Amino acid sequence: MKRIIAFAIVLIMIAGCAPAAPTGTGTAPAGGTQQGAAGGDTAPAAEGRDTVRMALHTDLNIFDPMNSGMTLDQVVYKNIFDTLLNFYDGQFERVLATDYSITPDGLTYEISLRQDVRFHNGEPFTAADVVFSMTRAQDSVSFASMTASIESVVAVDDHNVVITLSEPYIPFLQAVIAGVPIMNEAAVVASGDNVGFEPIGTGPYRFVSFEPGQRLTLIANDYWHGGAVPITHAVFNIIIDPSSALMAVEAGDVDLSYSIPPIEAARLEASDAINFRRNSTTGSGFILFNLEQPPFDDVYFRRAFAHAIDRQAIAEIGMEGMAIPAYALWDERFEGYSGRYPAATFDLDLAREYLERSSYAGETLHFRVGMEMYRRITLLVQEQLREIGVDIEVAMMETNAWVTDMRNGNFEISTVVFTFDLDVDYWERVLHSSNIGNFNFPRLNRPEVDDAFDRGSSILDRHERIDTYAVIERVVNEEAIVIPIYWRVIPCVYHRDLEISRAYPSGFSRVIDMSWR
């Protein structure tokens, strides 16, 4: 299958027939308030138990689910948009779909739809919206790769859809049927270039306003097909500093934060005055090289680098305990994982042996990062590589400029974390050569890796599929293409009277999964 550039960093529900409130209008934010579907509603006073106020540690970007790869954008838009199915804890839950079937050859998906659903702009949800959304997904940043095998999407009638694939795509149910948010064509057309800031879905919450760098507000969708929601208003406050976010929670100014100074974790876990949990994630953190530049094109140098890395120190110090050491980009939670080729372990003697065999000539290497969390890791790596005689210079960049440079290959060493759903196939966005210039930051171009991704997604036999993807594990780990270092843990500190029933593999929860005691 020809791969199309895409990213989802990962990296993821009875309404009456009365129409929803009319859609507001606005322009893309340039420092002011963006008004949206709620037509000027505002959140009530902070003390009201019909509101939950959350602190987010970085600014939001765009609320067009087809074209945002930022995890925190998803934290917002997953409350606004529904999917046909929802995948949680290994099970598929029906949302906009009432039933579905798959032909034995894996090529045809027949989907029956709910008949009692309206979009936030009052438009009825029909099969035409599924056709529109799947077609738009094929041309999107976030879902193009996962929808590349779609041959046709046909509305049989208003409440039944048939999707035909050109070849089987094993993760299709999870990645597409349970992944692609359903959008309204009339709303998208009306919004034009401003579609990212006028989100219209069928979900439990409607967009109210967005003040860049400050806050975003949602309000309950009174006509949601899932019925009344436990909390009416949701306010997302941008509080970049973890200490300030924690102080805001403890002072009662916000109700929840996904960012804290990690040193406070033990105190919070022992506290009776506040709730604290560590959410495990599928966020895979790793060090990567620009394979097109020396000495990183030398496998002996990469192996030396890999054996010099102390993952335990990075997890405990660099990530301040909010990580678990990792020896693979994906693990047994992912379909297609073999575990036959673990990454290099910490061994300074072996690191020095490989360094002597490498082309490294003592030059200073440059480690560039675009987030404060990553900077702490780079300083540790700098110290660790000094132990074998490799000099590294560390520099912080503005986040967007850093991502642009990474895509364009204007870097030597960096570190990132990608959060993907539980199938090895998702990693083609990072390792397939067709994604060089997008999220194949290492610029890996290996025919056997490309072939394994191209074939693996359509292999029906589970064991054969594992054997196919094992080729990728061998190349990546034995040749130290990248260095897996940790699984990310997301801290969540929240009001003692707030209950949260679910956290997703991203480490975040939806507002619909929260309630006040």
Side-chain angles (χ1 to χ4, degrees):
M1 183 195 307
K2 173 65 177 175
R3 293 285 168 181
I4 302 174
I5 293 172
F7 173 65
I9 110 199
V10 250
L11 328 227
I12 358 229
M13 319 247 163
I14 253 200
C17 294
T23 305
T25 60
T27 57
T33 298
Q34 175 71 32
Q35 297 296 337
D41 295 314
T42 58
E47 62 270 13
R49 286 300 176 90
D50 57 354
T51 299
V52 61
R53 304 155 302 170
M54 293 160 282
L56 300 181
H57 54 273
T58 190
D59 203 1
L60 299 163
N61 182 36
I62 189 173
F63 314 113
D64 176 1
M66 301 295 187
N67 293 296
S68 171
M70 299 296 289
T71 301
L72 286 183
D73 292 346
Q74 297 180 39
V75 173
V76 172
Y77 71 62
K78 283 182 178 291
N79 295 287
I80 299 172
F81 295 94
D82 285 323
T83 49
L84 296 174
L85 300 174
N86 183 52
F87 184 73
Y88 179 75
D89 197 24
Q91 302 295 319
F92 288 98
E93 303 167 340
R94 288 162 173 76
V95 185
L96 294 178
T98 59
D99 201 5
Y100 64 92
S101 63
I102 309 169
T103 54
D105 59 8
L107 294 177
T108 304
Y109 292 71
E110 298 181 359
I111 306 161
S112 299
L113 307 176
R114 293 187 65 133
Q115 303 182 29
D116 58 348
V117 179
R118 288 183 176 269
F119 286 93
H120 300 157
N121 61 355
E123 291 280 332
F125 161 67
T126 70
D129 298 299
V130 177
V131 174
F132 171 75
S133 299
M134 294 297 169
T135 302
R136 190 165 187 262
Q138 289 181 285
D139 296 322
S140 73
V141 170
S142 300
F143 295 99
S145 179
M146 292 173 279
T147 55
S149 61
I150 292 180
E151 188 171 83
S152 65
V153 186
V154 177
V156 178
D157 53 38
D158 279 352
H159 305 295
N160 290 278
V161 175
V162 175
I163 302 176
T164 304
L165 308 186
S166 57
E167 59 182 340
Y169 178 47
I170 304 306
F172 191 78
L173 200 63
Q174 182 183 161
V176 180
I177 305 300
V180 172
I182 302 303
M183 306 183 75
N184 177 246
E185 182 173 9
V188 172
V189 171
S191 294
D193 293 340
N194 203 39
V195 63
F197 302 98
E198 295 180 348
I200 300 291
T202 62
Y205 289 89
R206 297 185 285 122
F207 176 76
V208 176
S209 63
F210 176 42
E211 302 167 68
Q214 298 183 57
R215 68 185 56 81
L216 177 137
T217 304
L218 305 179
I219 191 172
N221 172 17
D222 292 336
Y223 308 105
W224 184 47
H225 56 86
V229 301
I231 298 176
T232 305
H233 294 77
V235 181
F236 299 84
N237 297 279
I238 311 304
I239 306 178
I240 294 174
D241 177 60
S243 296
S244 298
L246 177 56
M247 285 174 26
V249 176
E250 294 190 303
D253 295 327
V254 298
D255 305 308
L256 178 153
S257 175
Y258 291 112
S259 176
I260 64 165
I263 196 172
E264 297 281 6
R267 177 180 69 84
L268 295 170
E269 283 177 321
S271 174
D272 294 327
I274 204 162
N275 290 320
F276 179 75
R277 61 200 284 178
R278 300 172 189 254
N279 293 335
S280 60
T281 79
T282 56
S284 180
F286 55 97
I287 296 168
L288 63 145
F289 316 109
N290 185 338
L291 300 173
E292 296 178 345
Q293 294 188 17
F296 312 106
D297 58 350
D298 182 341
V299 65
Y300 294 118
F301 178 77
R302 297 195 305 269
R303 287 174 176 169
F305 201 115
H307 283 294
I309 296 302
D310 184 347
R311 291 171 175 82
Q312 194 68 41
I314 289 175
E316 292 178 359
I317 302 172
M319 293 297 292
E320 299 182 282
M322 292 300 164
I324 300 168
Y327 294 86
L329 288 178
W330 49 83
D331 62 13
E332 62 277 358
R333 294 173 293 178
F334 288 71
E335 281 296 320
Y337 168 75
S338 80
R340 298 169 190 166
Y341 305 98
T345 56
F346 180 50
D347 187 329
L348 288 178
D349 290 336
L350 195 54
R352 293 186 181 102
E353 289 180 20
Y354 277 122
L355 189 64
E356 289 180 3
R357 300 171 64 184
S358 78
S359 59
Y360 178 67
E363 63 269 30
T364 297
L365 306 178
H366 303 91
F367 204 136
R368 298 288 182 262
V369 291
M371 295 184 184
E372 177 62 24
M373 175 185 72
Y374 298 150
R375 188 184 70 84
R376 296 193 301 269
I377 294 172
T378 64
L379 295 176
L380 276 174
V381 171
Q382 184 184 47
E383 292 178 9
Q384 293 171 3
L385 268 292
R386 191 177 291 131
E387 291 292 316
I388 63 170
V390 175
D391 184 35
I392 291 178
E393 175 194 86
V394 174
M396 281 283 297
M397 297 180 63
E398 187 276 327
T399 300
N400 291 328
W402 167 66
V403 172
T404 298
D405 277 358
M406 297 283 284
R407 285 176 165 174
N408 293 333
N410 298 327
F411 77 100
E412 292 182 359
I413 318 168
S414 193
T415 184
V416 296
V417 56
F418 281 115
T419 301
F420 290 125
D421 286 331
L422 301 176
D423 196 289
V424 173
D425 183 73
Y426 289 95
W427 281 91
E428 61 86 19
R429 282 159 279 180
V430 179
L431 299 171
H432 195 286
S433 65
S434 66
N435 286 326
I436 292 175
N438 204 348
F439 290 94
N440 181 343
F441 294 158
R443 308 183 80 77
L444 178 64
N445 188 354
R446 292 288 292 270
E448 63 267 47
V449 170
D450 288 355
D451 178 67
F453 277 122
D454 291 344
R455 293 190 300 109
S457 63
S458 60
I459 294 173
L460 298 176
D461 182 85
R462 187 170 184 266
H463 297 291
E464 182 184 353
R465 192 165 184 253
I466 290 172
D467 290 342
T468 300
Y469 286 133
V471 172
I472 305 169
E473 294 176 30
R474 177 182 57 78
V475 171
V476 169
N477 291 330
E478 289 191 347
E479 299 185 24
I481 299 300
V482 301
I483 306 173
I485 48 177
Y486 65 86
W487 294 104
R488 190 179 182 190
V489 173
I490 298 292
C492 182
V493 57
Y494 54 105
H495 195 288
R496 65 181 180 182
D497 292 336
L498 185 64
E499 295 183 332
I500 302 176
S501 61
R502 289 182 173 186
Y504 284 83
S506 62
F508 301 97
S509 301
R510 295 186 303 169
V511 182
I512 193 64
D513 299 317
M514 303 177 188
S515 61
W516 288 104
R517 289 194 183 96

